[in-house]
Amino acid sequence: MSQSKPASMFDARIMGPALRGAFTKLHPRLLAKNPVMFVVAVVSALCTVLFVKDLVTGAEGLGFSFQIILWLWFTLLFANFAEAVAEGRGKAQAESLRKTRTETTAKLLDASGNWRSVPGESLKVGDVVLVEPGDIIPSDGEVIEGVASVNEAAITGESAPVIRESGGDRSAVTGGTQVLSDWIKVRISAAAGSTFIDRMISLVEGAERQKTPNEIALNVMLAGLTLIFVMATATIPAFAGYAGGSVPVIVLVALFVTLIPTTIGALVSAIGIAGMDRLVRFNVLAMSGRAVEAAGDVDTLLLDKTGTITLGNRQATEFRPVKGVAEAELADAAQLASLADETPEGRSIVVLAKEKYGIRARDMQSLGATFVPFTAQSRMSGVDFDGTTIRKGAVDAVLKSVAGGRVASEKLREIQGISDAIAKLGGTPLAVVRNGQLLGVIYLKDIVKGGIRERFAELRQMGIRTVMITGDNPMTAAAIAAEAGVDDFLAEATPEMKLDLIRREQAKGKLVAMCGDGTNDAPALAQADVGVAMNTGTVAAREAGNMVDLDSDPTKLIEIVGIGKQLLMTRGSLTTFSIANDVAKYFAIVPAMFVALYPGLDSLNIMGLATPQSAILSAIIFNALIIIALIPLSLKGVAYKAIGANALLRRNLLIYGLGGLVVPFIGIKLIDVIITTLGLA
Amino acid sequence: MTLQAILFVLIIIGGTALLSWPLGRYMAGVMDPKGGKGTMTGLFQAIVGPLGREEQGWKAYVFAILAFNIVIFTVVYLIQTFQGALPFNPDGMGAVNPDLMFNTAASFTTNTNLQHYSGEATYSYFTQLGGLMWLQFVTPAVGLAAPTAMARALSGRALGNFWVDLQRATFLVLLPLSLVFAALLVIGGLPMTFEGSVVATTLEGVQQTIARGPVAAFVTIKQLGTNGGGFFGPNSTHPLENVSFYTNMIQMVAIIIVPMACVWMFARIVGRIKHGFVIFAVMLCFVLIKTAGSVGFETAPTQAFNDLPIAQDVGNLEGKELRFGATGGPLWAVLTTATSNGSVGAMHDSLNPLAGMMPMVGMWLNESFGGVGVGMINMFLYIVVAVFVAGMMIGRTPEYLGWRIEAREVKLALFALLAHGAFILLGTAIFAATPWGAETLNNSGPHGFSEILYEFTSAAANNGSGFEGLGDNTVPWNITTGLVMIFSRFIPIILPLAIVGFMSQKRRATESSGTLSVEGGVFATMLAVTVIVVGALTFFPAATLGPIAEHVMYMN
């Protein structure tokens, strides 16, 4: 996992622009995007105007009004600052992405096969360009001719070059990567400004960020709550008037601003941007914020067996000889047959023989042996020396080779029995034959990744079902599925079967996530609610998915789900915190507001705040400072634990609900003590 | 004394809670017959003709509700206008002011039964029975139909047909239940006669006219349908409307049993009994807290006796009917406002300040257990908000029973909750600041403020109880509260139906251990907190200037 470290919030490169951003974001057009903060801006401006009027006419209590107004503007600036910091971190992230987008010149091919130099930005979809060693690939596209090694470090951070070739599943190239050797002809699939990278940059920078459906719904709720509190405070002058008193506008505004959900209102866009940013740091590009949210909702994960659930390579774990053959003898023959076999399976046989039976690897040359490589026709490999021939290979191929398939039926049954037993365990049997005599079977085992079983158990707790997709036969698949602890498997899977499985799950009301790379995965990727395309995949796959994993690591699907959940959890938890804060603020301001009318109401001042002025001031200061205090949390996201939904709700309700209830009582009291000591109120 | 009070409360509330279980089962069975159409459905469809056959979408269902209510409003307005010329008028009641007629028609159409008049002195038997009592049957039936349709949509089916649901609620739920309770009340001694007033000679030799009439029938549906409109002006404190300790108990059970059963009915139709338990538990919790508060604060003597040289150790007996016992008054006050009933068994105006705040809290929340049907609907609005926040907290886009809650649902739910608060606070603000309210008060200071606050709270909660003491039969009061009642009735019926209408058009997700469970104690806590923070805290400033200020001024 090449997760890059996030830039610190206190990094000067982020702080500087963020402080500037806090002020530039006061522009009404930008404020209008956030209903809660827009309302704060309106009332702050109103109070400022009234203050100036009072200043001119020379009213009393200006010091108190001045402080309140100051903190009102601070509330607004802190909110802007939070958003600016998140954007700044996104920008830092985008900057490294953007480096790949430096002006390139492209070699545009015409119909006759000649090329001319054109600026990269002028390329249109469908243009064909030639890319030669040292050239930067000008834009996303598909290789239509040639094969080349490409350095994709710019986007993946992985320095080892990768092969990109026409046809097959490795035909997609990304703009900004560099061809190291050979040449390719690329058909451009994205015009300048709309490549994956461009889209991602705009998402993490926040400038063109579209609000996601859940964010819109949250904003609606916050606006609704704001309206409720408009009502609650706007009616107070009439109530107070009945009691024969009045409440200054500045106090009403203070109550109003502390009651409306400014905390979550100020942080909501920072949370969204930070969520995208986290994804980018995992080297995953999402096409939209909506896709990230959908990831949190996934009910069914389709995971490819190879590379995700099992290590890519099978390993020899056991030698099973036929009757009359010693295990060591089989091991010896198997090792000899594999000495020159450079495949991981072959090497694992050599290692196993050495570890288990102390048979040291011998030198092929000193034996005078010749290696017989694996071919698609023979489906066997082996070694010939001193008139001895040893072969290992698929059981049916080996049987066929032995005496033209005429094996004594007793032997045949024995070999079949051993290999079936191995298949049932999820392994692959390899038969070994020496000079036409069957020695036994090597048990090649699919090694399930360490810890993956626990991962699936966690996912199950979160209500996510995992389905293993494999080309293995059902018997082998069932064994591996049981070992890895997946909930279900799809054996001998074809792209059609995958598509069908997704549709069936969706018909049951489930959200499905999958990852894929080949062109034949494209329909399934498009059908899935969350489709993660591998960067090594084809253009078709990348276009069909709604995320691209630059590292091409299918395990990441699990992390992506976690990031999606974390985004929503952060939003929900801070909303709860923000609303729960209101209880303490009521108890700070309401008694302060009315104590002059009915002195007995001082008994509601349960925090024992010094004076009405200090109480109101403390509440508004707390309200502003809590925004700053919560910026790190909103950028980092609340801790995501893979526990059941109920446990998660209990935990977050305790921390952010109960915490939100208690913290402001303490905070407001503390601030009251401080400002009273300083003589501010 | 304390033990006695606790036992009394537990018997009434706990006993009714137990009785509500089989009733809820019965109601679910008749309102939403399983397997086929149910026995009476064919007959009901035949009665309404072609209108009863179609499955209605939410818009059609809402349209039918509104059409029906416009008709009943008009009919009752006309009956009042012409009561002088209509039969069953032994006492010769004549025409009534148009603004009072509007208020009364609005009040009974909306199941509020706020009465700015005294029934026995204003309306004929025909108006009382043919107009007002008829509405006391059909308006709770409207209330029962709405959550039935809502529950059907939430279970993934069509909403059903309003006209059929209306008849089911009237003939299969309210009518049989009324027969049972009316019989119990007649046994208890309530009058049931069509003869006019009697003239009696008192011990002092003075002639007294005693009004009577078909009281038992009227009182039964008044309580069962969370109507609350009394036959007599003093409502259930009147000795002929509520004769004894025994009838008082029967009536208290009648007040809360149908709203309680509505929760079970909803849960059964949705198919989620455990979810029903959560909703029921939250509602019950609020009722018990309010009861404890109300009964508890009433153990202090009234401030009016402060300077009198009398024993102050029996609690506040002002405005109480001694035949109901000391706990009967405050308990009734809580129950009648917890539901949107509004009948009174003691004078709320005379309750100690904080004891008198409890009924107001009940009406501010208006969902525990709420009016017949509509209490459950109001709770649904809070559930939408709670699920939205809790859903995010578990890391999924919020879903309720598998239906996704998005911007539109949140907007509608919050608007409905907002409207309730707005009517109460804006109405109170206007009347507190103008002679419309100030000149009609019986008390000054915070208590007068409470009277205004209470009247708007009662209208907006479609409750109908009064803090009395308020001279509320004036043109401004009649018109404003009439309008408030109408809007407060139909906004929380229309919007939730719209919400489920929109939700059920979406793809329904399956529930798993990863989705929000609406069945456990954690969600119950979340729901209760949402009700308090979103619902109750809005009224904190108003409460501070009303009952709380009165308490700190006089009760220490």
Side-chain angles (χ1 to χ4, degrees):
Chain A
M1 195 79 39
S2 58
Q3 191 193 350
S4 54
K5 259 186 80 74
S8 160
M9 171 185 158
F10 303 104
D11 191 319
R13 277 167 302 168
I14 291 186
M15 273 305 243
L19 284 174
R20 252 195 323 281
F23 287 92
T24 54
K25 280 172 184 292
L26 288 176
H27 193 290
R29 190 177 53 82
L30 296 174
L31 282 173
K33 286 184 181 176
N34 186 330
V36 178
M37 296 327 288
F38 184 71
V39 170
V40 176
V42 169
V43 295
S44 306
L46 176 79
C47 286
T48 312
V49 171
L50 288 178
F51 177 74
V52 170
K53 194 192 111 210
D54 283 352
L55 201 64
V56 174
T57 56
E60 276 178 23
L62 285 178
F64 172 69
S65 304
F66 179 73
Q67 288 188 67
I68 296 273
I69 290 168
L70 208 58
W71 284 103
L72 285 176
W73 287 110
F74 275 145
T75 311
L76 209 53
L77 289 173
F78 291 168
N80 288 344
F81 177 72
E83 190 180 284
V85 167
E87 284 178 8
R89 295 204 325 165
K91 276 206 180 78
Q93 198 73 41
E95 211 57 50
S96 58
L97 290 172
R98 206 195 309 268
K99 279 197 197 115
T100 65
R101 216 181 44 172
T102 45
E103 302 99 63
T104 50
T105 43
K107 295 168 176 169
L108 182 64
L109 285 164
D110 57 24
S112 57
N114 302 317
W115 63 265
R116 62 193 165 83
S117 247
V118 295
E121 296 88 77
S122 70
L123 291 173
K124 293 184 296 294
V125 175
D127 282 350
V128 177
V129 296
L130 176 70
V131 194
E132 292 179 304
D135 291 351
I136 304 278
I137 297 172
S139 187
D140 294 355
E142 180 169 18
V143 180
I144 54 168
E145 198 184 328
V147 53
S149 65
V150 178
N151 177 3
E152 295 194 339
I155 53 167
T156 63
E158 182 64 56
S159 58
V162 293
I163 301 295
R164 290 285 174 260
E165 60 190 333
S166 61
D169 287 349
R170 297 164 162 267
S171 61
V173 287
T174 310
T177 56
Q178 190 182 30
V179 169
L180 295 178
S181 69
D182 307 286
W183 56 268
I184 43 176
K185 285 182 184 171
V186 176
R187 187 191 291 121
I188 300 301
S189 61
S194 64
T195 62
F196 282 117
I197 307 256
D198 291 315
R199 277 188 258 175
M200 198 65 203
I201 289 175
S202 65
L203 281 174
V204 290
E205 281 192 340
E208 298 304 317
R209 213 168 61 89
Q210 292 254 313
K211 282 185 189 149
T212 61
N214 176 261
E215 208 176 334
I216 293 171
L218 178 59
N219 266 316
V220 166
M221 191 182 94
L222 298 181
L225 288 175
T226 305
L227 263 179
I228 289 180
F229 292 121
V230 166
M231 229 166 50
T233 42
T235 48
I236 287 177
F239 298 169
Y242 169 90
S246 67
V247 177
V249 175
I250 193 84
V251 174
L252 281 177
V253 167
L255 176 67
F256 173 65
V257 170
T258 50
L259 289 183
I260 62 174
T262 47
T263 315
I264 179 66
L267 296 173
V268 68
S269 55
I271 294 168
I273 298 168
M276 295 302 292
D277 190 43
R278 268 198 296 282
L279 204 59
V280 179
R281 273 188 277 115
F282 267 95
N283 265 349
V284 176
L285 304 190
M287 293 303 108
S288 66
R290 182 188 276 256
V292 187
E293 267 174 20
D297 293 348
V298 164
D299 303 288
T300 308
L301 271 185
L302 304 192
L303 296 169
D304 279 327
K305 183 197 79 173
T306 310
T308 311
I309 296 171
T310 61
L311 298 169
N313 314 313
R314 285 174 285 212
Q315 294 186 346
T317 51
E318 208 179 323
F319 297 109
R320 295 198 175 175
V322 293
K323 248 182 243 145
V325 177
E327 250 183 78
E329 190 183 351
L330 172 61
D332 183 55
Q335 194 193 45
L336 280 170
S338 310
L339 282 175
D341 185 352
E342 285 302 315
T343 62
E345 287 90 350
R347 265 176 294 177
S348 76
I349 293 171
V350 175
V351 171
L352 180 70
K354 184 172 147 194
E355 284 176 352
K356 221 167 163 186
Y357 305 98
I359 307 170
R360 311 237 350 194
R362 284 143 291 188
D363 181 30
M364 291 281 284
Q365 257 158 3
S366 61
L367 284 171
T370 47
F371 179 61
V372 181
F374 177 90
T375 66
Q377 282 77 38
S378 70
R379 286 158 63 218
M380 295 188 296
S381 65
V383 67
D384 291 339
F385 67 95
D386 292 347
T388 309
T389 60
I390 305 176
R391 293 289 182 276
K392 68 168 203 288
V395 175
D396 58 333
V398 169
L399 289 176
K400 213 162 157 199
S401 78
V402 177
R406 288 192 306 277
V407 184
S409 63
E410 194 185 323
K411 265 259 159 74
L412 185 72
R413 268 205 303 277
E414 193 181 353
I415 288 281
Q416 289 291 7
I418 297 175
S419 58
D420 281 355
I422 291 172
K424 259 184 211 143
L425 292 171
T428 311
L430 282 187
V432 180
V433 58
R434 189 178 60 194
N435 295 336
Q437 188 205 353
L438 279 166
L439 296 178
V441 178
I442 308 168
Y443 175 9
L444 287 183
K445 193 177 177 191
D446 232 339
I447 305 292
V448 171
K449 281 187 174 175
I452 200 85
R453 206 188 160 81
E454 291 70 32
R455 282 300 268 292
F456 291 148
E458 281 178 4
L459 287 172
R460 200 167 304 118
Q461 278 218 303
M462 301 294 295
I464 299 172
R465 228 165 64 88
T466 44
V467 180
M468 180 180 85
I469 308 288
T470 172
D472 291 342
N473 64 57
M475 214 196 301
T476 313
I480 296 174
E483 187 179 350
V486 292
D487 298 291
D488 201 357
F489 63 87
L490 185 67
E492 287 168 350
T494 61
E496 294 73 37
M497 287 166 72
K498 271 200 219 179
L499 188 61
D500 196 45
L501 175 69
I502 295 174
R503 291 210 174 116
R504 270 204 318 272
E505 289 287 314
Q506 287 174 337
K508 282 189 266 172
K510 296 190 163 152
L511 253 71
V512 184
M514 70 164 286
C515 53
D517 49 9
T519 303
N520 53 19
D521 280 334
L525 277 173
Q527 179 73 35
D529 301 282
V530 176
V532 182
M534 299 294 107
N535 191 41
T536 55
T538 58
V539 170
R542 276 161 47 160
E543 289 295 329
N546 41 21
M547 289 190 200
V548 175
D549 177 15
L550 296 175
D551 299 333
S552 305
D553 171 9
T555 324
K556 243 189 237 171
L557 209 46
I558 301 172
E559 263 82 27
I560 293 172
V561 170
I563 290 174
K565 285 197 179 298
Q566 202 182 18
L567 172 67
L568 283 159
M569 275 166 52
T570 310
R571 232 179 247 157
S573 300
L574 289 183
T575 304
T576 307
F577 185 87
S578 186
I579 298 173
N581 273 344
D582 278 1
V583 178
K585 292 168 184 168
Y586 268 119
F587 275 97
I589 296 186
V590 167
M593 206 178 225
F594 297 140
V595 74
L597 299 174
Y598 302 113
L601 287 175
D602 196 44
S603 55
L604 284 182
N605 179 10
I606 51 178
M607 281 175 274
L609 305 177
T611 64
Q613 279 79 15
S614 78
I616 294 164
L617 200 52
S618 304
I620 196 110
I621 292 175
F622 176 84
N623 191 56
L625 290 182
I626 196 74
I627 297 175
I628 291 285
L630 289 174
I631 291 177
L633 181 66
S634 62
L635 295 182
K636 197 161 77 55
V638 307
Y640 162 75
K641 285 227 166 69
I643 45 180
N646 241 336
L648 209 53
L649 180 60
R650 183 179 315 121
R651 182 174 174 277
N652 286 336
L653 203 54
L654 266 179
I655 299 177
Y656 300 98
L658 194 62
L661 208 61
V662 175
V663 166
F665 276 103
I666 302 168
I668 291 174
K669 176 70 189 171
L670 271 178
I671 295 172
D672 181 71
V673 171
I674 294 171
I675 59 175
T676 316
T677 319
L678 294 178
L680 290 173
Chain B
M1 173 73 191
T2 314
L3 185 70
Q4 203 183 358
I6 291 173
L7 271 178
F8 181 68
V9 167
L10 287 184
I11 286 170
I12 297 287
I13 297 179
T16 316
L18 289 180
L19 285 175
S20 72
W21 174 257
L23 178 61
R25 191 191 186 100
Y26 168 77
M27 279 161 55
V30 296
M31 290 303 291
D32 188 45
K34 287 254 152 50
K37 301 169 96 185
T39 42
M40 303 281 278
T41 306
L43 177 66
F44 291 150
Q45 284 178 330
I47 294 171
V48 273
L51 272 181
R53 268 175 231 127
E54 48 167 326
E55 284 286 356
Q56 292 169 323
W58 75 266
K59 281 182 191 150
Y61 203 98
V62 163
F63 181 77
I65 290 178
L66 290 180
F68 178 71
N69 277 281
I70 289 169
V71 169
I72 60 176
F73 179 90
T74 313
V75 168
V76 168
Y77 193 88
L78 291 177
I79 288 179
Q80 293 179 68
T81 315
F82 297 112
Q83 69 168 351
L86 291 167
F88 297 110
N89 190 4
D91 297 319
M93 303 297 179
V96 184
N97 287 336
D99 57 286
L100 180 60
M101 291 197 298
F102 166 75
N103 190 275
T104 305
S107 172
F108 280 79
T109 304
T110 59
N111 189 241
T112 309
N113 304 13
L114 188 72
Q115 291 163 300
H116 287 176
Y117 62 90
S118 274
E120 74 275 26
T122 315
Y123 290 124
S124 70
Y125 289 169
F126 185 81
T127 310
Q128 295 256 40
L129 292 178
L132 305 186
M133 198 173 89
W134 172 55
L135 255 53
Q136 302 211 17
F137 270 99
V138 292
T139 59
V142 171
L144 276 175
T148 306
M150 193 173 84
R152 283 194 197 111
L154 286 173
S155 72
R157 292 178 285 152
L159 270 79
N161 181 293
F162 171 70
W163 306 108
V164 172
D165 287 342
L166 182 71
Q167 296 180 85
R168 284 176 178 151
T170 312
F171 294 111
L172 298 180
V173 178
L174 295 168
L175 205 55
L177 212 53
S178 296
L179 285 175
V180 175
F181 274 91
L184 291 173
L185 288 178
V186 170
I187 292 169
L190 263 70
M192 184 67 202
T193 173
F194 281 100
E195 286 167 35
S197 311
V198 285
V199 176
T201 309
T202 65
L203 287 177
E204 294 98 24
V206 185
Q207 297 270 299
Q208 187 188 3
T209 309
I210 299 174
R212 52 181 187 165
V215 182
F218 200 93
V219 168
T220 306
I221 192 62
K222 158 186 110 173
Q223 307 297 32
L224 284 173
T226 60
N227 290 294
F231 191 89
F232 302 107
N235 211 303
S236 280
T237 57
H238 190 287
L240 293 185
E241 192 150 341
N242 194 0
V243 178
S244 62
F245 189 82
Y246 161 76
T247 59
N248 194 47
M249 277 179 67
I250 303 272
Q251 289 193 30
M252 282 200 276
V253 171
I255 287 174
I256 45 170
I257 190 160
V258 183
M260 277 180 167
C262 280
V263 178
W264 304 127
M265 179 188 83
F266 172 82
R268 280 182 187 280
I269 298 178
V270 173
R272 301 295 293 268
I273 292 291
K274 281 187 185 166
H275 181 44
F277 272 103
V278 165
I279 299 173
F280 197 92
V282 171
M283 291 180 170
L284 189 64
C285 197
F286 281 119
V287 167
L288 289 177
I289 292 171
K290 285 179 292 184
T291 307
S294 191
V295 173
F297 287 118
E298 277 306 273
T299 54
T302 174
Q303 38 154 321
F305 293 174
N306 274 352
D307 303 324
L308 298 181
I310 52 172
Q312 303 274 13
D313 53 3
V314 288
N316 178 8
L317 287 181
E318 193 200 291
K320 306 274 185 321
E321 299 295 310
L322 279 177
R323 63 186 185 282
F324 303 149
T327 320
L331 175 60
W332 182 300
V334 166
L335 296 184
T336 191
T337 50
T339 64
S340 81
N341 189 298
S343 63
V344 291
M347 289 297 124
H348 294 187
D349 199 27
S350 302
L351 294 171
N352 281 333
L354 289 184
M357 190 171 81
M358 295 303 152
M360 283 197 253
V361 172
M363 294 184 283
W364 291 335
L365 302 182
N366 207 22
E367 42 59 350
S368 56
F369 286 76
V372 167
V374 290
M376 186 54 233
I377 290 198
N378 278 324
M379 191 52 139
F380 171 74
L381 297 170
Y382 286 107
I383 290 176
V384 170
V385 176
V387 164
F388 181 71
V389 178
M392 284 192 291
M393 269 202 284
I394 61 157
R396 287 178 67 99
T397 49
E399 298 148 333
Y400 176 55
L401 306 175
W403 306 108
R404 186 160 291 186
I405 296 179
E406 286 169 310
R408 185 152 51 181
E409 290 78 21
V410 172
K411 188 180 355 181
L412 294 173
L414 267 173
F415 181 78
L417 292 176
L418 173 83
H420 181 61
F423 290 133
I424 296 173
L425 292 175
L426 295 179
T428 308
I430 293 169
F431 276 64
T434 61
W436 287 354
E439 284 177 4
T440 57
L441 298 178
N442 197 21
N443 292 279
S444 60
H447 195 81
F449 181 75
S450 295
E451 287 173 356
I452 300 175
L453 181 62
Y454 194 102
E455 187 73 3
F456 273 104
T457 303
S458 177
N462 286 160
N463 185 279
S465 65
F467 220 37
E468 300 316 326
L470 192 67
D472 48 19
N473 188 7
T474 65
V475 176
W477 273 119
N478 283 338
I479 303 285
T480 339
T481 53
L483 289 173
V484 166
M485 286 186 282
I486 291 173
F487 286 116
S488 300
R489 168 72 168 176
F490 295 107
I491 288 173
I493 287 182
I494 296 171
L495 296 189
L497 284 174
I499 292 174
V500 295
F502 288 129
M503 281 206 292
S504 57
Q505 284 163 10
K506 300 179 189 179
R507 194 172 106 187
R508 190 177 187 181
T510 43
E511 294 171 73
S512 69
S513 63
T515 49
L516 178 70
S517 160
V518 288
E519 298 187 340
V522 186
F523 183 72
T525 315
M526 182 73 203
L527 185 57
V529 171
T530 308
V531 169
I532 293 170
V533 176
V534 177
L537 276 184
T538 321
F539 301 101
F540 188 57
T544 308
L545 289 180
I548 297 177
E550 191 186 350
H551 177 83
V552 298
M553 278 169 77
Y554 299 114
M555 297 304 288
N556 292 331

